[in-house]
Coordinates of all heavy atoms in Angstrom, one line a residue:
G1 N 76.7 109.7 98.9 CA 78.2 109.5 99.1 C 78.6 108.2 99.6 O 79.6 107.7 99.2
A2 N 77.7 107.6 100.4 CA 78.0 106.3 100.9 C 77.9 105.2 99.9 O 78.5 104.2 99.9 CB 77.1 105.9 102.1
E3 N 76.9 105.5 98.9 CA 76.7 104.5 97.9 C 77.6 104.6 96.7 O 77.9 103.7 96.0 CB 75.2 104.6 97.4 CG 74.2 104.3 98.5 CD 72.8 104.8 98.1 OE1 72.7 105.3 97.0 OE2 71.9 104.6 99.0
R4 N 78.1 105.8 96.5 CA 78.9 106.1 95.3 C 80.3 106.5 95.9 O 80.6 107.6 96.3 CB 78.4 107.2 94.4 CG 77.0 106.8 93.8 CD 76.5 108.0 93.0 NE 77.4 108.4 91.9 CZ 77.0 108.7 90.7 NH1 75.7 108.6 90.4 NH2 77.8 109.0 89.8
Q5 N 81.2 105.5 95.9 CA 82.4 105.6 96.7 C 83.3 106.8 96.3 O 84.1 107.2 97.2 CB 83.2 104.3 96.7 CG 82.5 103.2 97.4 CD 82.3 103.6 98.9 OE1 83.1 104.1 99.6 NE2 81.0 103.4 99.4
P6 N 83.4 107.2 95.1 CA 84.2 108.4 94.8 C 83.9 109.6 95.7 O 84.7 110.5 95.8 CB 83.9 108.7 93.3 CG 83.5 107.4 92.8 CD 82.7 106.7 93.8
H7 N 82.7 109.6 96.3 CA 82.3 110.8 97.1 C 82.3 110.4 98.6 O 81.7 111.1 99.4 CB 80.9 111.3 96.7 CG 80.8 111.6 95.2 ND1 81.6 112.5 94.6 CD2 80.1 111.0 94.2 CE1 81.3 112.5 93.3 NE2 80.4 111.6 93.1
A8 N 82.9 109.3 98.9 CA 82.9 108.8 100.3 C 84.3 108.5 100.8 O 85.2 108.3 100.0 CB 82.0 107.6 100.5
L9 N 84.4 108.5 102.2 CA 85.7 108.2 102.8 C 85.4 107.0 103.7 O 84.4 106.9 104.4 CB 86.3 109.3 103.6 CG 86.9 110.5 102.8 CD1 87.3 111.6 103.7 CD2 88.1 110.0 101.9
P10 N 86.3 106.0 103.8 CA 86.2 104.9 104.8 C 86.1 105.5 106.2 O 86.8 106.5 106.5 CB 87.4 104.1 104.5 CG 88.0 104.5 103.2 CD 87.6 105.9 103.0
A11 N 85.4 104.8 107.1 CA 85.3 105.2 108.5 C 86.7 105.4 109.1 O 86.9 106.3 109.9 CB 84.4 104.2 109.2
A12 N 87.6 104.5 108.8 CA 88.9 104.5 109.4 C 89.7 105.8 109.0 O 90.4 106.4 109.9 CB 89.8 103.3 108.9
E13 N 89.5 106.3 107.8 CA 90.1 107.5 107.4 C 89.5 108.7 108.0 O 90.1 109.7 108.4 CB 90.1 107.6 105.9 CG 90.9 108.8 105.4 CD 91.1 108.8 103.8 OE1 90.9 107.7 103.2 OE2 91.5 109.8 103.3
L14 N 88.1 108.7 108.1 CA 87.4 109.8 108.8 C 87.8 109.9 110.2 O 87.9 111.0 110.8 CB 85.9 109.5 108.7 CG 85.3 109.8 107.3 CD1 83.8 109.4 107.4 CD2 85.4 111.3 106.9
R15 N 88.1 108.8 110.9 CA 88.5 108.9 112.3 C 89.8 109.8 112.5 O 89.9 110.5 113.5 CB 88.8 107.5 112.9 CG 87.5 106.8 113.3 CD 87.8 105.6 114.1 NE 88.5 104.5 113.4 CZ 87.9 103.5 112.8 NH1 86.6 103.5 112.7 NH2 88.6 102.6 112.1
R16 N 90.7 109.8 111.5 CA 91.9 110.7 111.6 C 91.5 112.1 111.7 O 92.1 112.9 112.3 CB 92.8 110.3 110.5 CG 93.3 108.9 110.4 CD 94.0 108.6 109.1 NE 95.0 109.5 108.8 CZ 95.4 109.9 107.6 NH1 94.6 109.5 106.5 NH2 96.4 110.7 107.4
W17 N 90.4 112.4 110.9 CA 90.0 113.9 110.9 C 89.2 114.2 112.1 O 89.4 115.3 112.7 CB 89.1 114.1 109.6 CG 89.9 113.9 108.3 CD1 90.1 112.8 107.6 CD2 90.6 115.0 107.7 NE1 90.9 113.1 106.5 CE2 91.2 114.4 106.5 CE3 90.8 116.3 107.9 CZ2 91.9 115.1 105.6 CZ3 91.6 117.1 107.0 CH2 92.1 116.4 105.9
F18 N 88.4 113.3 112.6 CA 87.6 113.5 113.8 C 88.5 113.7 115.1 O 88.2 114.3 116.0 CB 86.6 112.4 114.1 CG 85.5 112.4 113.1 CD1 85.0 111.2 112.7 CD2 85.0 113.5 112.6 CE1 83.9 111.1 111.8 CE2 83.9 113.5 111.6 CZ 83.4 112.3 111.2
A19 N 89.7 113.1 115.0 CA 90.6 113.1 116.1 C 91.4 114.4 116.2 O 92.2 114.7 117.1 CB 91.6 112.0 116.0
L20 N 91.3 115.3 115.2 CA 92.0 116.6 115.3 C 91.5 117.4 116.5 O 90.4 117.5 116.9 CB 91.6 117.5 114.0 CG 92.3 117.0 112.7 CD1 91.7 117.8 111.5 CD2 93.8 117.3 112.8
P21 N 92.5 118.0 117.2 CA 92.1 118.8 118.4 C 91.3 120.0 118.1 O 91.5 120.7 117.0 CB 93.5 119.2 119.0 CG 94.4 119.2 117.8 CD 93.9 118.1 116.9
A22 N 90.4 120.3 119.0 CA 89.6 121.6 118.8 C 90.3 122.8 119.4 O 91.1 122.6 120.4 CB 88.3 121.4 119.5
G23 N 90.0 123.9 118.9 CA 90.6 125.1 119.4 C 92.1 125.3 119.2 O 92.7 124.6 118.3
G24 N 92.8 126.0 120.0 CA 94.2 126.2 119.8 C 94.6 127.4 118.9 O 93.7 128.0 118.3
E25 N 95.8 127.7 118.8 CA 96.3 128.8 118.0 C 96.2 128.5 116.5 O 96.6 127.4 116.1 CB 97.7 129.2 118.3 CG 98.2 130.4 117.6 CD 99.6 130.8 118.0 OE1 100.2 130.0 118.7 OE2 100.1 131.9 117.6
R26 N 95.6 129.4 115.7 CA 95.5 129.1 114.3 C 96.5 130.0 113.5 O 96.4 131.2 113.6 CB 94.1 129.4 113.8 CG 93.0 128.6 114.6 CD 93.2 127.1 114.4 NE 92.1 126.4 115.0 CZ 92.1 125.0 115.1 NH1 93.1 124.3 114.5 NH2 91.1 124.4 115.6
T27 N 97.4 129.4 112.9 CA 98.5 130.2 112.3 C 98.7 130.0 110.8 O 99.6 130.6 110.2 CB 99.9 129.9 113.0 OG1 100.2 128.5 112.8 CG2 99.8 130.1 114.5
T28 N 97.8 129.2 110.2 CA 98.0 128.8 108.8 C 96.8 129.0 107.9 O 95.7 128.6 108.4 CB 98.5 127.4 108.7 OG1 99.6 127.2 109.6 CG2 99.0 127.0 107.3
L29 N 97.0 129.5 106.7 CA 95.9 129.4 105.7 C 96.3 128.3 104.8 O 97.4 128.2 104.3 CB 95.9 130.7 104.9 CG 95.5 132.0 105.7 CD1 95.6 133.2 104.8 CD2 94.1 131.9 106.3
V30 N 95.4 127.3 104.6 CA 95.7 126.1 103.8 C 95.0 126.1 102.5 O 93.8 126.4 102.4 CB 95.3 124.8 104.6 CG1 95.7 123.6 103.8 CG2 96.1 124.8 105.9
H31 N 95.7 125.9 101.4 CA 95.1 125.9 100.1 C 95.4 124.5 99.4 O 96.6 124.2 99.3 CB 95.6 127.0 99.2 CG 95.1 126.9 97.8 ND1 93.7 126.8 97.5 CD2 95.7 126.9 96.6 CE1 93.6 126.8 96.2 NE2 94.7 126.8 95.6
V32 N 94.4 123.8 99.1 CA 94.6 122.4 98.5 C 94.5 122.5 97.0 O 93.6 123.1 96.4 CB 93.5 121.5 99.0 CG1 93.7 120.1 98.5 CG2 93.5 121.5 100.5
V33 N 95.5 122.0 96.3 CA 95.7 122.2 94.9 C 95.7 120.9 94.1 O 96.3 119.9 94.5 CB 97.1 122.9 94.6 CG1 97.2 123.3 93.2 CG2 97.2 124.2 95.5
T34 N 94.9 120.9 93.0 CA 95.0 119.8 92.1 C 95.7 120.3 90.8 O 96.7 119.7 90.4 CB 93.6 119.3 91.7 OG1 92.9 118.9 92.8 CG2 93.6 118.2 90.7
D35 N 95.3 121.4 90.2 CA 95.9 122.0 89.1 C 96.1 123.5 89.5 O 95.1 124.2 89.6 CB 95.1 121.9 87.8 CG 95.7 122.5 86.6 OD1 96.5 123.5 86.8 OD2 95.4 122.1 85.5
P36 N 97.3 123.9 89.8 CA 97.5 125.3 90.3 C 96.8 126.4 89.7 O 96.3 127.3 90.3 CB 99.0 125.4 90.3 CG 99.6 124.0 90.4 CD 98.6 123.2 89.6
F37 N 96.8 126.4 88.3 CA 96.3 127.6 87.6 C 94.8 127.3 87.2 O 94.1 128.3 86.8 CB 97.2 127.9 86.4 CG 98.5 128.4 86.9 CD1 99.6 127.5 86.8 CD2 98.8 129.6 87.5 CE1 100.8 127.8 87.3 CE2 100.0 129.9 88.0 CZ 101.1 129.1 87.9
A38 N 94.3 126.1 87.3 CA 92.9 125.9 87.1 C 92.2 126.0 88.4 O 91.0 126.4 88.5 CB 92.7 124.5 86.5
D39 N 92.9 125.8 89.6 CA 92.2 125.9 90.9 C 92.3 127.2 91.5 O 91.8 127.4 92.7 CB 92.9 124.9 91.8 CG 92.6 123.4 91.4 OD1 91.7 123.2 90.6 OD2 93.4 122.5 91.8
G40 N 92.8 128.2 90.8 CA 92.8 129.6 91.4 C 94.0 129.8 92.4 O 93.9 130.7 93.1
T41 N 95.0 128.9 92.3 CA 96.1 129.1 93.2 C 96.8 130.4 93.0 O 97.3 131.0 94.0 CB 97.1 127.9 93.1 OG1 96.3 126.7 93.2 CG2 98.2 127.9 94.1

């Protein structure tokens, strides 16, 4: 993934994800969509 960039993220972008708070109330189911009816939405 580090050698083939389509499968990698820059360190600066990853830091935003690592900074997410742990724990807390979980109130949402999240579905990420590219093509709604091909992705099973």
Side-chain angles (χ1 to χ4, degrees):
E3 297 165 0
R4 296 178 60 137
Q5 289 305 312
H7 307 295
L9 288 174
E13 187 169 345
L14 285 174
R15 280 195 291 271
R16 299 166 57 213
W17 294 89
F18 291 145
L20 285 169
E25 186 179 6
R26 304 300 184 183
T27 61
T28 308
L29 298 175
V30 180
H31 176 52
V32 185
V33 186
T34 302
D35 181 334
F37 297 101
D39 293 343
T41 307

